[in-house]
């Protein structure tokens, strides 16, 4: 990120944290708008390179979305995919693969084709992990 981008992301983070506090206070943790705001905060952490914070936030988003929507919902799968990507960036391939598989299992239960754009992206990301894991074994 450029300094200007980082500054914009930090401003977005402050504003999202204010919005989250308001929504949490007025709507509660189990409201869709509250969890969506927290998901945006997780994304800002990710773009700022604050990976442990992004990981924690995405874990919370996953848990709340699963509680709200149940375990077979696209928002839950998207959260699992986000967690997989964060673990990939943290160089934690085992955890990354487990979260990719969690997301794929949800999509399979939803009967989404592997050609569906969201599933195809997940499979591409998982392939990248598998390839990088194979390359690291060769070295």
């Amino acid at each position: 990120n450029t300094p200007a981008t980082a500054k914009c992301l930090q401003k977005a983070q402050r504003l999202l944290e204010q919005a989250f506090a308001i929504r949490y206070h007025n709507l509660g943790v189990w409201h869709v708008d509250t969890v969506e705001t927290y998901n945006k905060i997780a994304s800002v952490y990710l773009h700022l390179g604050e990976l442990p914070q992004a990981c924690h936030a995405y874990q919370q988003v996953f848990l709340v979305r699963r509680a709200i929507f149940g375990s077979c919902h696209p928002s839950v799968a998207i959260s699992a995919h986000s967690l997989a990507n964060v673990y990939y960036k943290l160089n934690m391939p085992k955890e990354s693969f487990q979260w990719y598989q969690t997301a794929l299992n949800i999509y399979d239960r939803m009967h989404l084709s592997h050609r569906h754009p969201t599933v195809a992206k997940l499979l591409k990301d998982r392939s990248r992990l598998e390839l990088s894991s194979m390359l690291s074994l060769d070295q």
Side-chain angles (χ1 to χ4, degrees), residues 130-139:
E130 291 167 345
L131 180 62
S132 69
S133 294
M134 287 182 353
L135 291 174
S136 67
L137 290 176
D138 290 341
Q139 296 175 354

Side-chain angles (χ1 to χ4, degrees), residues 16-124:
L16 285 167
E17 287 171 353
Q18 290 173 3
F20 176 77
I22 292 167
R23 288 180 170 162
Y24 184 88
H25 176 75
N26 291 304
L27 303 173
V29 70
W30 305 111
H31 194 279
V32 175
D33 290 343
T34 306
V35 74
E36 286 307 313
T37 304
Y38 202 56
N39 187 62
K40 290 176 184 172
I41 292 170
S43 178
V44 170
Y45 283 139
L46 179 62
H47 285 89
L48 285 170
E50 298 174 6
L51 299 179
Q53 295 91 329
C55 187
H56 175 76
Y58 278 128
Q59 287 171 342
Q60 297 303 307
V61 169
F62 175 84
L63 293 171
V64 173
R65 282 180 172 172
R66 189 177 62 186
I68 293 171
F69 300 120
S71 62
C72 188
H73 190 276
S75 291
V76 179
I78 290 167
S79 295
H81 189 171
S82 296
L83 273 164
N85 288 336
V86 172
Y87 279 114
Y88 176 81
K89 288 179 182 255
L90 285 167
N91 198 28
M92 298 174 72
K94 181 180 174 190
E95 292 81 357
S96 181
F97 187 82
Q98 289 170 340
W99 284 107
Y100 284 131
Q101 195 58 48
T102 297
L104 185 59
N105 290 344
I106 294 168
Y107 291 134
D108 285 345
R109 281 183 283 162
M110 293 172 55
H111 305 289
L112 283 182
S113 164
H114 286 195
R115 289 187 299 269
H116 184 282
T118 304
V119 181
K121 173 74 168 101
L122 169 74
L123 293 171
K124 180 180 175 187

